[in-house]
Amino acid sequence: MNKKQITAVVELDQSRYKTKIFADGHFIYADEPEYLGGTNEGMAPGALLLASLGSCTAITVRMYADRKQIPLTGLTIHLAICAEDEMNDGTVIERKIELHGDLDEEQRKRLMIIADKCPIHKILTHPIKIISN
């Protein structure tokens, strides 16, 4: 288990909604599409959330497959989040995981169980408290 706290710094750029994101020595942009007034120079925040879940899922499954010597040759994860106006009763994220490789049914079932154990999945499925100062 990772004991290091995850941190990020986000700065609003001079071009309306574009933001600079700095985390652990890495840098990316987030933005809104042009039809919402952005410059479309980075992923939208919701896409970043899906990307976090998808990449964490893929890494967690790959690590497990490597440790257990499961012949996983790759995986593809398709993600979608419900529209903002549908979030009043809760947020729904659809995640379709395609496992690639010469896997038997038991290995496939186990990898799907492991997919739900990624840290971002845990964050998103447990209560979250956001403290703003």
Side-chain angles (χ1 to χ4, degrees), residues 5 9 32 34 39 51 57 60 65 67 103 113 125 128-129:
Q5 184 179 23
V9 176
E32 290 291 348
E34 289 178 4
T39 59
T57 300
T60 300
R67 274 196 313 273
L103 308 170
I113 290 169
T125 56
I128 298 173
K129 180 190 281 187

Side-chain angles (χ1 to χ4, degrees), residues 4-64:
K4 183 181 176 199
Q5 184 179 23
I6 300 169
T7 63
V9 176
V10 178
E11 294 178 354
L12 189 62
D13 193 73
Q14 296 298 314
S15 58
R16 195 135 162 117
Y17 302 132
K18 186 169 121 184
T19 57
K20 299 174 188 174
I21 303 165
F22 304 92
D24 203 21
H26 301 281
F27 166 79
I28 61 171
Y29 283 113
D31 200 355
E32 290 291 348
E34 289 178 4
Y35 74 90
L36 290 176
T39 59
N40 200 33
E41 293 183 55
M43 284 191 277
L48 286 169
L49 178 70
L50 294 178
S52 292
L53 176 60
S55 59
C56 185
T57 300
I59 292 166
T60 300
V61 170
R62 170 87 272 162
M63 286 178 167
Y64 181 85

Side-chain angles (χ1 to χ4, degrees), residues 50 80-83 86-87 89-95:
L50 294 178
I81 194 167
C82 64
E86 298 173 4
M87 294 180 184
D89 296 327
T91 303
V92 176
I93 296 175
E94 293 181 46
R95 180 180 63 173

Side-chain angles (χ1 to χ4, degrees), residues 44-115:
L48 286 169
L49 178 70
L50 294 178
S52 292
L53 176 60
S55 59
C56 185
T57 300
I59 292 166
T60 300
V61 170
R62 170 87 272 162
M63 286 178 167
Y64 181 85
D66 288 350
R67 274 196 313 273
K68 299 297 182 179
Q69 298 180 334
I70 295 173
L72 179 71
T73 58
L75 68 156
T76 304
I77 303 171
H78 301 270
L79 298 126
I81 194 167
C82 64
E84 189 175 346
D85 62 353
E86 298 173 4
M87 294 180 184
N88 292 335
D89 296 327
T91 303
V92 176
I93 296 175
E94 293 181 46
R95 180 180 63 173
K96 180 182 179 204
I97 302 170
E98 299 172 5
L99 301 169
H100 308 290
D102 187 21
L103 308 170
D104 62 35
E105 193 56 35
E106 188 58 36
Q107 290 169 327
R108 288 181 181 282
K109 285 180 186 175
R110 187 68 190 142
L111 291 175
M112 293 302 285
I113 290 169
I114 294 302

